[in-house]
Amino acid sequence: MSDIEGVYEDLEADVSLEEFREAVEQKVEQMGGLADEETAAMLIAHEIGESEVGGIADIEPGMEEAKFVAKVISIGEKRTFERDGEDEDGQVVNVEVADETGSVRAAFWDDHAEAAIGELEEGQVLRIKGRPKEGFSGVEVSVDDVEPDDDTEVEVQVSDTYAIEDLSLGLSNVNLVGLLLDTDSVRTFDRDDGSEGKVSNLVLGDSTGRIRVTLWDERADLATELEAGTTVEVVDGYVKERDGQLELHVGNRGAVEEVDEEVEYVPESTPIEDIEIGQTVDLAGVVRSADPKRTFDRDDGSEGQVRNVRVQDATDDIRVALWGEKADIDIGPGDEVALGDVEIQDGWQDDLEASAGWQSTVTVLESDSGAAGEGEADGSSDENAGLSAFAGDGSAAEETAADGTGTADSTGDGESGDAAAKTAATDGAAVASDEPTDGEELEFTGVVVQAGSPVVLDDGETTMSVATDVDVGLGEEVTARGVVRDGRLEANDVF
C-alpha cells in the first residue's frame, strides 16, 4: 500500500481515491518539491476534513469551503446582472436546500445557474461544495461544484406552505398562512447611504404556534392596511433570529395578502397561579374588569398612556397594564383574551401584575362587549426617536429598527419604572363600591367571568359572587335575583 493510499484509508470523507490522488499531485506541484507525496496527502486530508460539515447547521460564514449533502426545497428565478469591465452579463439562481439540521440558500452562478434552471427539481438530493458567506437573509453558500446524489436519503419535507413550528433559521422562500393576531405602526429610520427605511411588525398564529413578522420598506405599510382577526398569507418570507426567537421577515420581493381560509389558533398559556415575578409569559382568560385609560408625563416631557384590566383564568386573576397604543384596545368585561409575551412585575399593594408593552400581543379570542378584534403593537415615536440605521442589507441598524426600541429609555411604553407612569398605572386600581348589606334583597346584572361554583358576575364596576345551581356560560350576560348573605348573593332566580 502506497503512502497516499494509507492516508486515504484514514480519511473519513466522501471523496474517491482517484480524486484524492489528483489533489495530492496538484499539491506537490504547487509546493515546488518542498513536500513529498505523503506530506502532500496529509495536507489534502486536513483540508478535506476542514470542509466537510456534519449538516447545514454547522456551516458558518468564516469557513473557506463547505461540503454537504442537501435536498432541493425550492428553485428561484434566474437573474442577470452587469459585471464591471466585462461585456458579458453574469447570471445567478438562488436555490433553497435543506437537511435534517436546517436550510440554507445556495447561489448558483453562470453555467451552474443555467443548469439549475434546466436540470434541477424540487426534492432532488445534491452533493454541494461551495464558499459560505453572510447574506441578507443569513448564511448563504456560493456554489463551486455540485452533483446529484440519488443514493442518499435526506429526511426533509418539501412544502409549498409551512406551519409555524416547521420554520427554522435560514429558511427562505417561505409561504405561511396564519391568523393575524396583532398589528403595528410603521416606523422610519435613516440608512448610512442617506435613504430612509421603513419597518413594521405583525404577529401571526396557527395551530402550531405564534411568530412575529417584520415588514420592510415597501411592505411596511401593510401593517396599517390589514386588520387583526383576519387570515393572511405570507409569500416569499425568510427566517432570522432575534433575541433567541425566530422571526419571519418580508422584504420588497415578498408579500402579505388576506386570504379566505380558516386558521385555528389555540394559545398555550401559563396558569396565573403559577406565574412568578421576572417571568415573561403567555396568559389567557376572561376580562373581569377594565379601568379607564390614563395619561402621564414622562421625564423627557413626552406623554404616555396606560390602561389597566383584570384578567381571570380558572386558577386566579391578575391586573394587566396595557401601555402605549395597547391602552386604546377596546376590550371590556366578558371578553376572552390571549396575552402574549407579557412581563410579570411587582404591582399594586405587593400583588403581581402583568405588563403588556410593545413586544407583547393582545388578542381578543371572543368578544362579549362589542370590542375591536385586537390592539396594535406599541411602536410609538417615543420608542423610536433617534434610530440610527446602517446599510439596508440585514445589518445591525435594521435589526434595531425591527424591534422598534430605538433609543428608548426606562420611561418608554411598556416600562413602569418612571414614577409618573407607575402612579398612573396604579391610580384608581381598586375602586371602592358600596357593599350590599347582609339580608338585603338584590337584583344584579353582569357578565359571567367565572362559571364554576360560585358563579361570579361583573357589571364593569363591581363583581358579585352568586350561589346558584343554574348552568351559565363564561361571557354570558345574566341577571341574578335573591338575598345577600355573607357578601354573596343567594339567588332565587337567574335569567
Side-chain angles (χ1 to χ4, degrees), residues 80-83 86-91 110:
T80 60
F81 58 93
E82 294 182 0
R83 285 195 172 98
E86 297 186 20
D87 296 332
E88 187 176 352
D89 289 342
Q91 52 189 2
D110 300 326

Side-chain angles (χ1 to χ4, degrees), residues 302-487:
S302 63
E303 186 178 79
Q305 60 182 23
V306 64
R307 185 186 184 208
N308 297 311
V309 299
R310 185 163 290 275
V311 175
Q312 178 173 330
D313 67 8
T315 67
D316 205 343
D317 62 78
I318 189 171
R319 191 160 60 88
V320 181
L322 307 177
W323 296 93
E325 294 180 9
K326 284 186 170 57
D328 294 323
I329 300 174
D330 187 12
I331 56 176
D335 291 343
E336 295 183 32
V337 296
L339 307 167
D341 295 324
V342 294
E343 184 179 351
I344 306 303
Q345 301 176 342
D346 187 11
W348 176 251
Q349 294 182 336
D350 294 329
D351 285 339
L352 296 181
E353 76 170 32
S355 178
W358 73 267
Q359 81 284 5
S360 308
T361 58
V362 179
T363 305
V364 178
L365 303 176
E366 186 173 332
S367 177
D368 189 66
S369 61
E374 347 280 327
E376 295 184 352
D378 186 10
S380 51
S381 59
D382 54 85
E383 290 192 20
N384 303 296
L387 277 177
S388 174
F390 304 119
D393 58 353
S395 59
E398 292 194 334
E399 292 295 334
T400 300
D403 67 4
T405 55
T407 58
D409 57 24
S410 62
T411 62
D413 289 340
E415 299 289 344
S416 54
D418 185 278
K422 194 70 173 180
T423 300
T426 58
D427 182 25
V431 179
S433 59
D434 293 334
E435 295 290 339
T437 58
D438 204 44
E440 176 185 353
E441 292 188 4
L442 181 67
E443 181 176 286
F444 188 91
T445 300
V447 174
V448 178
V449 295
Q450 176 176 302
S453 179
V455 171
V456 178
L457 304 181
D458 192 298
D459 66 358
E461 296 181 357
T462 307
T463 58
M464 176 59 66
S465 179
V466 180
T468 179
D469 295 330
V470 177
D471 290 331
V472 294
L474 202 62
E476 181 182 357
E477 184 175 81
V478 300
T479 298
R481 183 186 297 140
V483 177
V484 177
R485 300 193 187 281
D486 297 325

